[in-house]
Amino acid sequence: MKVKLTKRQLIVGAALLALLLIGLLVYRYHGTWELVQHRVFNQDALVAQVRRHRAVDIGLVVPLLICFSIIPGAPVATISVVAGICFGKGLGAVLNIIGITLGNLIAQRFFGRVTAHRTQKSSKLVTAIGNMRHPLLGIIIGYTVPFIPTSLVSLAAVETAVTRRQLAWATLLGSMPTAIIYAWGGDELIKAHFKNAALVIGIVILLVGLLWLIHHDRRRAPVSDEEV
């Protein structure tokens, strides 16, 4: 028997699972919060305390990244920074890439099933990517630039005339830059390297400039007989 899942059911299910995972993470790190509140620690002890139980925490953070990548408007960046705090810049970046990429691919797969039944007007971003001469570039940029809801990029992705394999590679490439940057930022924060953390914020802001490419890589309109 084939079970049909609506967009609302998928999002609600992802939100409930995300709340459960957040609750488990808060419970597991309650000892760390107590250290921070009472200020009875040095920086090295804090890092060691946070990174004690990596194996179990991976099973919480990766599904949480997947859920946040599916939920429209969910702050994926926050969880990505937490991954950097909990696992360091190297492992944190790998987990961010896996979680965010899988979440985006799941969203695409689902939106691909319901997009034919959509009646509402597309957003400006979805339309802009659809009108690009190189839509794969638009998908990569859309996932790379912070502050853009990944759900909109996923919707634009399934409306472009590209193969599933090309889309998967574009999703992976687009998810990597911010996944690495946020993990790096989280690692610098937990180590109190605030100047480097500020540099990360500056890089994130500069990435917004990539939106220029989306709006300037437009397909040329076909020339009519009257203009020839």
Side-chain angles (χ1 to χ4, degrees):
M1 182 177 177
K2 194 173 182 179
V3 179
K4 291 185 178 180
L5 191 66
T6 65
K7 178 180 178 181
R8 183 174 182 179
Q9 289 172 334
L10 177 68
I11 293 173
V12 170
L16 292 175
L17 179 57
L19 288 174
L20 174 62
L21 294 170
I22 290 171
L24 290 172
L25 281 171
V26 171
Y27 173 76
R28 286 182 53 75
Y29 284 93
H30 72 278
T32 304
W33 302 129
E34 290 179 0
L35 284 178
V36 173
Q37 289 173 357
H38 294 90
R39 298 181 182 275
V40 289
F41 63 90
N42 59 50
Q43 208 64 40
D44 292 336
L46 177 62
V47 173
Q49 173 75 13
V50 169
R51 298 178 179 175
R52 285 187 308 166
H53 308 294
R54 291 188 172 189
V56 176
D57 295 332
I58 288 173
L60 298 176
V61 171
V62 172
L64 188 56
L65 284 165
I66 293 174
C67 290
F68 270 47
S69 299
I70 294 172
I71 302 169
V76 182
T78 302
I79 307 303
S80 300
V81 171
V82 169
I85 291 173
C86 295
F87 306 105
K89 60 173 74 75
L91 181 57
V94 172
L95 298 179
N96 281 346
I97 292 170
I98 293 172
I100 295 172
T101 301
L102 286 177
N104 290 334
L105 289 174
I106 291 171
Q108 290 170 13
R109 190 74 178 269
F110 180 79
F111 289 149
R113 295 177 180 177
V114 301
T115 187
H117 305 287
R118 289 194 317 119
T119 55
Q120 66 266 37
K121 186 178 179 181
S122 297
S123 72
K124 291 181 179 180
L125 177 67
V126 174
T127 302
I129 292 177
N131 289 334
M132 289 181 68
R133 285 180 295 171
H134 307 93
L136 283 174
L137 177 62
I139 294 166
I140 293 172
I141 293 173
Y143 283 129
T144 297
V145 176
F147 318 122
I148 294 180
T150 55
S151 58
L152 285 182
V153 183
S154 296
L155 182 58
V158 299
E159 293 188 352
T160 56
V162 297
T163 66
R164 185 174 293 180
R165 185 175 181 178
Q166 289 175 324
L167 189 54
W169 277 110
T171 303
L172 174 62
L173 291 174
S175 302
M176 287 177 66
T178 48
I180 295 170
I181 290 170
Y182 288 141
W184 178 30
D187 187 57
E188 297 299 332
L189 281 176
I190 191 68
K191 294 178 179 177
H193 298 163
F194 298 118
K195 288 185 179 179
N196 291 341
L199 176 62
V200 172
I201 295 173
I203 294 173
V204 168
I205 294 173
L206 288 175
L207 287 176
V208 178
L210 291 174
L211 287 174
W212 179 86
L213 288 173
I214 291 180
H215 295 288
H216 287 78
D217 185 53
R218 295 180 180 275
R219 286 196 297 256
R220 292 183 179 179
V223 179
S224 63
D225 294 336
E226 295 179 357
E227 295 175 332
V228 176

